[in-house]
């Protein structure tokens, strides 16, 4: 319940103030504490409760307290009719500060203005850049005073705005910004459903409910009081309104009947209040009820009778409140009651009146016309299609799909309805809402037998399903689409096969590869589909396609310059072919164009993180994992989230934190079925194996690595399993399982044949060296280290150097061992691989190297920083400003500055100008020790 800021009359003011002071002392104290004057922290609080529980009242109280303490408040209130308008919530929130957004960096400013519809854009604004713009703006606003952002009725905030707010919430660090989100208890809130504290407003207890009734202007008594207490069930708004209605209409309470659901009952009460108002007042109330939040000012002044006097009866009845020139309903249930109590014809006239008032707002006008239309209407359908186009260009995919769906419903021609529903399904893929996409696909099937449209709609479902955890069903659907459109030689065949290849990678199922190859062999080999064909071949069978595609890959990447989507796809291909340096360079180029990032991770999106891990850029790998996990969790994409946790677990294990690695693996495996997601399963076992190695538990390590292969020695996953070969052998040697490991290693080498990459070849050579008799091991060590491409994988190369150095020392070739052991130690220290560094140090001591202290193998102060701090330090050392660093890492400039302030003492420096020398020293292996 909300307080009325402009209550006329002591009686109404008393009635409205009741819930604010009854049995909410703890909740009030908690929310006031959250909006205190602490400028050293940010905060996010989700306030939940049933309608009428007092969420809006608490949020109002927090906003008033913040203003009274000298803070600044931004507010947005969701509404059901506005949920389909892309970024409407964001526009409502930022409208008071749009002038201050002019100070944003140019790309951020352009992206923000584009999604808000304030200027046209040639390309869809990058979602993460929009989020960064809002984060930077809020940080700038908080420079002078603490900022409180209040979002009420968040269950009705449009998805685009909600995604931006979720992005901001994840990246707020030391900003003096408090985000308060009010939402109904049962409502889903993507992006905020886990990881944030919640303040639940439950029903009042009997004592508090009675106290609230006693504070009403006319406290109910006798049978009426008993019935009100029973029917209100502790809901503060129900208690107040039932008491008010009883006092006015049924003295003594004889007319209060039940039971009815609280929401329905209250709507009827409010509708009864409205029915007694003068006709002009009822007309403008309905106009206000039909309006969206942004349309309310037009509704309030748009009709001749909408003057101040017309609003007075509604104000006296407790239905509206006035804040300056702004008039709004006192509670969403009032709006609902007024709107639904009207006849359809009355509602239609209200929407037509609003459409006329909003001729300069084409998107809002289109939706009001649609609300006033029940029969097919080509003009209204066309207006909604234009709205969808504008929303899609702004990145408002949920709004675009909703507009396309409604445009289809109003289209007079059956074929147009099918086309628009198909387009809506393809657009809705980017919302991550699988249920919606499936509904749209079903609607397409009901209104057409056009195979091209049916295939496109089914493809949309399959593409989104592939990012979930049910890969068998996703693959079957995608292959059905490909098979059905093969006869028509449709380009959809390769699109479906490309998505099916991703599912094949996730699942690792061999039978799927045979199905893909069978269908692909029936497709003509034309130039137009060359890129997609290459993608299908490599993703589904990298060892089979590597020999042909590796030589031509740099040329394909060169031709893709400027096309971030193609660059990203080719970067993934390069990663799969173990062209790690090329993959990293291509990912960097794609990301710099701001088009490769988005709310939904692309197929094999974690490839960027694995590339950075393999290249020794571990902090960046963890950042990729964090971002994908957050986005996937928000969208409900379990498999993508599991991939990210497995990636993060691997880095953490290498850094020497086995306990955290195991927790991350547990989270990953809880999200998927290991038999449906073999890639995640093997990546997870790899992380667990490395965690065991870090602890010196080689028995457990061998068990984990061996589980990447079947009992017969075949790979559980055709790509990931082979990356464990050398680790498996190393653990086997320490546990006396050489014979089994040798058999598996050679079986893998035969299976791969000439298709193995340089990386896998070096891993096999390392394994053979460890397994060989002492007199035969050296050629394999030399072969593993002579490969020039090996510099791409510094950790793996350092492991081989360590193994070779150990072997040389045991052969009493001490002088030859020392350089290898020193090089390995330097790499491990630079990367922060503490357990491996300790082992290298022990070998150096055994080799007679004096002067190495125990502290030398502790990771450098740089390695002890968080992944994000490491990236910030490196970028600052290159001379980038805080704002430029924030743009690259999707952080606010204030957060960047706060991190630098905290790391300077850890690095032993006092000025930014010293960072370059520190970083260069660290990367050369001579950096500051912690």
């Amino acid at each position: 319940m909300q307080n009325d800021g402009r209550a006329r009359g002591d009686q109404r003011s008393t009635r409205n103030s009741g819930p604010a002071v009854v049995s909410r002392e703890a909740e009030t104290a908690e929310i006031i504490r959250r909006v205190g004057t602490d400028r050293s922290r940010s905060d996010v609080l989700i306030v939940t409760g049933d309608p009428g529980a007092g969420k809006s009242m608490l949020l109002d109280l927090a906003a008033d307290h913040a203003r009274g303490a000298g803070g600044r408040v931004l507010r947005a209130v969701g509404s059901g009719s506005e949920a389909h308008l892309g970024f409407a919530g964001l526009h409502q929130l930022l409208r008071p500060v749009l002038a201050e957004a002019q100070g944003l960096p140019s790309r951020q400013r352009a992206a923000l203005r584009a999604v808000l519809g304030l200027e046209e854009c040639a390309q869809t604004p990058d979602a993460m850049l929009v989020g960064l713009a809002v984060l930077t703006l809020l940080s700038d606003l908080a420079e002078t005073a603490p900022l409180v952002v209040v979002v009420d009725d968040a269950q009705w905030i449009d998805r685009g705005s909600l995604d931006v707010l979720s992005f901001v919430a994840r990246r707020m660090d030391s900003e003096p910004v408090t985000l308060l989100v009010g939402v109904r208890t049962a409502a889903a809130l993507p992006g905020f459903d886990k990881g944030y504290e919640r303040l639940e407003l439950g029903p009042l207890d009997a004592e508090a409910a009675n106290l609230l009734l006693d504070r009403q202007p006319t406290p109910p008594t006798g049978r009426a009081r008993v019935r009100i207490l029973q029917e209100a069930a502790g809901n503060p708004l129900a208690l107040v309104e039932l008491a008010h209605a009883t006092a006015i209409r049924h003295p003594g309470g004889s007319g209060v009947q039940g039971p009815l659901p609280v929401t329905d009952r209250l709507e009827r009460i409010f509708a009864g209040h409205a029915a007694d108002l003068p006709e002009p007042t009822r007309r403008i109330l309905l106009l206000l009820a039909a309006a969206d939040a942004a349309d309310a000012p037009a509704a309030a002044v748009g009709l001749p009778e909408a003057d101040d006097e017309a609003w007075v009866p509604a104000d006296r009845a407790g239905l509206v409140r006035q804040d300056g020139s702004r008039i709004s309903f006192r509670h969403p249930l009032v709006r609902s009651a007024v709107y639904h109590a009207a006849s359809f014809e009355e509602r239609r006239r209200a929407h037509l009146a609003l459409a006329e008032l909003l001729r300069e707002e084409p998107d809002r006008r289109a939706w009001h016309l649609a609300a006033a239309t029940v029969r097919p209407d080509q003009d209204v359908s066309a207006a909604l299609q234009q709205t969808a186009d504008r929303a899609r260009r702004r990145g408002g995919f949920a709004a675009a799909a909703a507009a396309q769906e409604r445009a289809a419903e109003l289209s007079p021609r059956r074929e147009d309805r099918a086309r628009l529903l198909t387009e809506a399904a393809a657009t809705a893929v980017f919302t991550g809402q699988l249920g919606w996409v499936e509904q749209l696909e079903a609607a397409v099937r009901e209104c057409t037998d056009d195979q091209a449209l049916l295939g496109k709609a089914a493809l949309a479902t399959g593409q989104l399903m592939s990012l979930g955890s049910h890969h068998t069903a996703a693959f079957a659907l995608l292959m059905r689409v490909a098979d059905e459109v093969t006869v028509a030689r449709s380009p959809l065949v390769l699109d479906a096969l490309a998505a099916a290849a991703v599912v094949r990678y996730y699942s690792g199922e061999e039978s799927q590869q045979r199905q893909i190859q069978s269908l692909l062999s029936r497709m003509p080999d034309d130039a137009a589909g060359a890129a997609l064909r290459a993608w299908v071949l490599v993703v589904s069978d990298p060892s089979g396609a590597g020999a042909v595609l590796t030589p031509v890959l740099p040329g394909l990447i060169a031709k893709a310059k400027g096309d971030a989507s193609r660059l990203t796809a080719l970067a993934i291909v390069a990663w799969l072919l173990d062209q790690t340096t090329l993959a990293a360079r291509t990912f960097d180029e794609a990301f710099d164009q701001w088009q490769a990032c988005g709310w939904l991770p692309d197929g094999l999106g974690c490839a960027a993180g694995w590339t950075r891990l393999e290249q020794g850029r571990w902090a960046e790998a963890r950042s990729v994992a964090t971002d994908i996990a957050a986005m996937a969790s928000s969208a409900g994409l379990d498999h993508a989230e599991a991939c990210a946790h497995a990636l993060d677990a691997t880095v953490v294990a290498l850094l020497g934190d086995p306990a955290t690695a195991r927790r991350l693996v547990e989270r990953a495996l809880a999200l998927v079925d290991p038999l449906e997601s073999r890639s995640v399963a093997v990546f997870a076992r790899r992380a667990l194996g490395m965690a065991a190695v870090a602890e010196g538990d080689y028995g457990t390590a061998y068990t984990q690595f061996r589980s990447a292969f079947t009992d017969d020695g075949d790979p559980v996953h055709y790509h990931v399993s082979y990356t464990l070969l050398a680790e498996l052998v190393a653990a086997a040697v320490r546990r006396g399982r050489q014979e089994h490991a040798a058999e598996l290693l050679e079986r893998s080498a035969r299976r791969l044949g000439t298709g193995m990459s340089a990386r896998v070849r070096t891993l096999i050579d390392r394994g053979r060296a460890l397994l060989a008799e002492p007199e035969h091991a050296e050629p394999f060590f030399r072969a593993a280290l002579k490969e020039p491409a090996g510099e791409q994988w510094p950790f793996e190369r350092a492991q081989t150097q360590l193994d070779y150095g150990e072997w040389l020392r045991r052969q009493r070739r001490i002088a030859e061992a020392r350089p290898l052991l020193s090089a390995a130690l330097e790499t491990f220290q630079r990367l922060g691989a503490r357990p491996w560094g300790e082992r290298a140090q022990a070998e150096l001591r055994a080799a007679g190297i004096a002067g190495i202290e125990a502290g030398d193998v502790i990771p450098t102060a740089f390695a002890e920083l968080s992944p994000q701090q490491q990236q910030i330090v490196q970028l600052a050392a290159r001379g980038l400003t805080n704002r430029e660093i924030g743009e690259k890492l999707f952080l606010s400039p204030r957060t960047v500055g706060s991190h630098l302030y905290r790391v300077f003492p850890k690095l032993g420096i006092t000025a930014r100008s010293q960072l370059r020398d520190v970083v260069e020293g660290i990367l050369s292996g001579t950096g500051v020790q912690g």
Side-chain angles (χ1 to χ4, degrees):
M1 169 163 179
Q2 297 177 357
N3 289 328
D4 192 325
R6 300 265 303 195
R8 291 184 176 89
D10 293 338
Q11 188 180 63
R12 231 190 90 220
S13 181
T14 301
R15 177 166 68 87
N16 290 338
S17 66
V21 293
V22 176
S23 193
R24 295 294 190 213
E25 292 83 0
E27 293 91 340
T28 300
E30 174 64 13
I31 205 163
I32 292 300
R33 182 183 68 80
R34 301 281 183 150
V35 297
T37 56
D38 184 356
R39 294 183 52 80
S40 65
R41 57 188 292 273
S42 59
D43 203 357
V44 180
L45 181 67
I46 314 299
V47 182
T48 65
D50 291 332
K55 301 183 299 298
S56 298
M57 175 272 296
L58 267 186
L59 295 175
D60 284 346
L61 189 65
D64 291 343
H65 181 83
R67 291 191 191 97
R72 192 167 190 174
V73 178
L74 295 178
R75 296 198 63 160
V77 180
S79 67
S81 62
E82 201 172 61
H84 52 255
L85 291 172
F87 301 103
L90 194 62
H91 188 275
Q92 186 186 158
L93 189 73
L94 300 181
R95 183 168 48 190
V97 294
L98 286 177
E100 290 164 272
Q102 291 301 112
L104 292 172
S106 58
R107 288 192 297 182
Q108 293 182 33
R109 182 176 64 250
L112 181 59
R113 289 182 61 81
V115 299
L116 295 180
L118 301 176
E119 62 182 49
E120 291 296 322
C121 54
Q123 293 181 312
T124 301
D126 174 67
M128 293 187 77
L129 186 57
V130 176
L132 178 61
V134 176
L135 177 63
T136 304
L137 177 58
L138 296 184
S139 177
D140 289 347
L141 292 171
E143 283 290 337
T144 55
L147 176 66
V148 176
V149 178
V150 179
V151 181
D152 200 2
D153 284 318
Q155 70 275 1
W156 292 322
I157 292 289
D158 64 278
R159 182 59 186 268
S161 297
L162 202 59
D163 285 339
V164 171
L165 290 171
S166 174
F167 176 97
V168 170
R170 292 195 303 269
R171 284 164 175 79
M172 291 195 309
D173 183 15
S174 56
E175 321 290 338
V177 178
T178 300
L179 174 59
L180 303 176
V181 181
V183 62
R184 290 187 177 180
T185 298
L189 198 62
F192 292 95
D193 52 355
K194 46 185 156 179
Y196 298 106
E197 292 187 58
R198 303 175 85 83
L199 181 63
E200 173 71 31
L201 301 186
L204 301 181
D205 60 25
E207 181 181 357
N210 274 292
L211 178 59
L212 179 57
L213 290 181
D214 288 339
R215 294 188 179 186
Q216 300 312 301
T218 307
T221 59
R223 179 170 176 267
R225 189 182 189 95
V226 172
R227 185 176 294 278
I228 291 170
L229 288 168
Q230 180 183 23
E231 295 301 323
N235 184 286
L237 183 62
L239 287 161
V240 171
E241 294 306 326
L242 286 174
H244 182 57
T246 302
I248 293 176
R249 298 187 176 193
H250 307 288
S254 60
V256 181
Q257 300 296 326
L260 290 173
V262 169
T263 299
D264 292 344
R265 178 172 63 252
L266 293 179
E267 285 186 355
R268 294 186 184 212
I269 291 172
F270 290 133
H273 293 343
D276 296 332
L277 298 175
E279 175 63 23
T281 302
R282 282 190 283 121
R283 191 178 304 127
I284 60 174
L285 270 180
L286 178 57
L287 197 68
L288 186 62
D292 298 327
D295 306 337
V301 299
L303 295 181
E305 60 266 41
D307 55 22
D308 287 342
E309 291 303 313
W311 290 109
V312 170
D315 188 19
R316 286 175 178 164
L319 299 177
V320 298
R321 62 177 181 174
Q322 188 169 353
D323 183 7
S325 61
R326 181 179 176 83
I327 297 174
S328 59
F329 287 107
R330 188 165 52 84
H331 193 277
L333 292 178
V334 181
R335 181 188 185 207
S336 177
V338 169
Y339 187 80
H340 291 291
S343 67
F344 172 76
E345 181 56 30
E346 290 172 323
R347 295 199 300 267
R348 190 182 75 84
R349 286 198 299 267
H351 283 295
L352 288 175
L354 286 165
E356 182 64 27
L357 290 168
L358 295 165
R359 283 193 167 277
E360 301 302 317
E361 299 283 347
D363 294 340
R364 298 180 184 281
R365 179 176 181 272
W367 277 107
H368 283 298
L369 290 173
T373 307
V374 290
R375 297 182 180 85
D377 187 309
Q378 184 58 46
D379 291 339
V380 178
S381 178
L384 285 168
Q385 292 176 55
Q386 293 170 2
T387 288
D389 290 341
R390 285 188 289 269
R392 191 169 47 241
R393 287 198 298 271
R394 298 197 303 268
F397 296 109
Q404 289 167 329
E405 183 177 17
R406 183 63 174 138
E409 294 169 355
L410 295 178
S411 180
R413 301 174 65 231
R414 186 182 181 89
E415 55 269 34
D416 287 340
R417 288 200 299 274
R419 173 183 57 79
L420 287 166
L421 286 168
T422 302
E423 291 176 3
T427 303
V429 167
F430 295 98
T431 70
Q433 300 178 50
L434 180 59
W436 188 13
V437 176
E438 289 175 328
Q439 290 172 9
L440 290 167
E441 182 201 350
V444 174
R445 290 199 304 269
E446 289 178 3
C447 69
T448 188
D449 55 5
D450 184 320
Q451 286 301 311
L453 293 178
L454 290 171
K456 187 176 180 182
L459 176 61
T461 299
Q463 287 173 326
L464 187 51
M465 190 184 295
S466 71
L467 292 174
S469 55
H470 302 296
H471 296 131
T472 300
F475 185 84
L477 174 59
L478 290 165
M479 292 305 293
R480 191 198 78 206
V481 172
D483 192 56
E484 288 176 352
V485 297
T486 297
V487 178
R489 296 182 180 275
S490 166
L492 282 179
V493 178
L494 281 175
D495 289 332
L497 286 178
V502 173
V503 179
R504 143 73 172 163
Y505 185 90
Y506 288 158
S507 71
E509 174 58 52
E510 285 302 312
S511 64
Q512 294 177 354
Q513 163 65 4
R514 293 191 290 274
Q515 293 179 63
I516 290 172
Q517 290 289 359
S518 173
L519 197 54
L520 193 63
S521 66
R522 291 152 51 188
M523 290 290 298
D525 191 1
D526 57 69
L532 269 181
R533 179 183 286 271
W535 167 269
V536 173
L537 288 170
V538 172
V539 172
S540 60
D541 183 18
S543 62
V548 174
L549 286 173
T550 297
V552 301
L553 188 56
L556 292 175
I557 291 172
K559 291 178 182 177
K561 286 193 179 299
D563 185 337
S565 179
R566 286 180 63 197
L567 284 172
T568 302
L570 290 169
I572 293 171
V573 168
W575 170 70
L576 288 165
L577 295 177
D578 284 328
Q579 299 290 307
T580 304
T581 300
L582 180 62
R585 187 165 63 242
T586 308
F587 275 126
D588 289 343
E589 183 179 347
F591 290 168
D592 281 346
Q593 295 175 26
W594 302 100
Q595 295 297 314
C597 304
W599 296 120
L600 295 182
D602 292 330
L604 304 183
C606 274
W610 289 112
T611 297
R612 286 159 171 77
L613 182 150
E614 292 161 11
Q615 204 182 30
R617 296 159 64 180
W618 291 358
E620 294 175 59
R622 294 202 68 190
S623 291
V624 170
T626 299
D627 284 340
I628 290 180
M631 288 185 283
S633 175
S634 173
L637 303 176
D638 291 345
H639 181 86
E641 183 180 355
C643 288
H645 290 323
L647 168 60
D648 202 19
T650 305
V651 184
V652 168
L654 295 176
L655 290 169
D657 186 355
T660 300
R662 283 190 286 268
R663 284 196 298 271
L664 288 165
V665 167
E666 185 178 346
R667 291 168 64 185
L669 294 179
L671 290 165
V672 297
D673 178 350
L675 295 180
E676 288 238 8
S677 300
R678 292 180 180 87
S679 60
V680 170
V682 177
F683 275 131
R685 299 302 175 189
R686 177 184 174 188
L688 290 175
M690 299 308 291
V693 171
E695 293 178 314
D697 182 359
Y698 293 98
T700 299
Y702 175 77
T703 300
Q704 297 294 348
F705 296 140
R706 182 62 182 81
S707 69
F709 296 85
T710 67
D711 291 342
D712 294 332
D714 292 329
V716 170
H717 191 272
Y718 61 94
H719 175 245
V720 187
S721 290
Y722 293 124
T723 66
L724 279 67
L725 281 170
E727 302 296 346
L728 188 157
V729 169
V733 168
R734 289 179 177 267
R735 299 301 299 170
R737 307 295 296 271
Q738 290 94 322
E739 184 177 344
H740 295 90
E743 182 180 343
L744 191 149
L745 184 73
E746 296 307 325
R747 181 185 179 94
S748 297
R750 290 192 300 272
R751 186 184 183 100
L752 288 168
T754 58
M756 73 175 70
S757 67
R759 179 191 179 195
V760 174
R761 189 163 55 247
T762 61
L763 294 176
I764 289 177
D765 282 334
R766 178 191 169 206
R768 285 170 171 163
L770 293 170
L771 289 165
E773 295 297 326
E775 63 271 21
H776 301 305
E778 189 162 25
F780 296 117
F781 278 127
R782 288 186 177 276
L785 290 175
K786 77 174 182 181
E787 174 61 61
E791 297 291 346
Q792 298 178 87
W793 312 292
F795 179 74
E796 292 171 4
R797 191 172 188 84
Q799 286 179 295
T800 304
Q801 290 170 331
L802 176 56
D803 290 338
Y804 189 15
E806 286 178 336
W807 181 86
L808 287 168
R809 185 184 63 78
R810 292 188 177 107
Q811 300 303 307
R812 301 186 182 281
R813 293 160 60 180
I814 305 299
E816 295 173 76
R818 289 170 176 168
L820 287 167
L821 295 173
S822 296
L825 176 59
E826 179 182 305
T827 298
F828 294 142
Q829 285 186 310
R830 174 167 56 85
L831 297 176
R834 179 183 53 78
W836 287 265
E838 291 173 348
R839 183 177 147 205
Q841 183 207 31
E843 284 297 324
L844 274 168
R845 284 178 173 164
I849 299 288
I852 297 180
E853 301 297 332
D856 290 345
V857 297
I858 297 174
T860 65
F862 178 79
E864 291 176 333
L865 302 179
S866 72
Q868 194 174 77
Q869 288 172 334
Q870 290 183 20
Q871 289 181 278
I872 290 171
V873 167
Q874 288 177 315
L875 293 171
R878 285 164 45 189
L880 274 68
T881 66
N882 289 0
R883 195 163 285 254
E884 291 168 336
I885 295 170
E887 282 210 33
K888 284 189 171 292
L889 302 184
F890 302 105
L891 300 170
S892 73
R894 183 187 180 95
T895 296
V896 173
S898 177
H899 278 303
L900 287 173
Y901 177 80
R902 292 198 293 267
V903 303
F904 275 18
K906 296 179 182 179
L907 296 176
I909 62 176
T910 58
R912 197 182 187 106
S913 58
Q914 297 172 277
L915 282 174
R916 182 172 181 177
D917 291 339
V918 169
V919 170
E920 287 180 352
I922 290 168
L923 296 181
S924 67
T926 62
V928 177
Q929 298 296 319

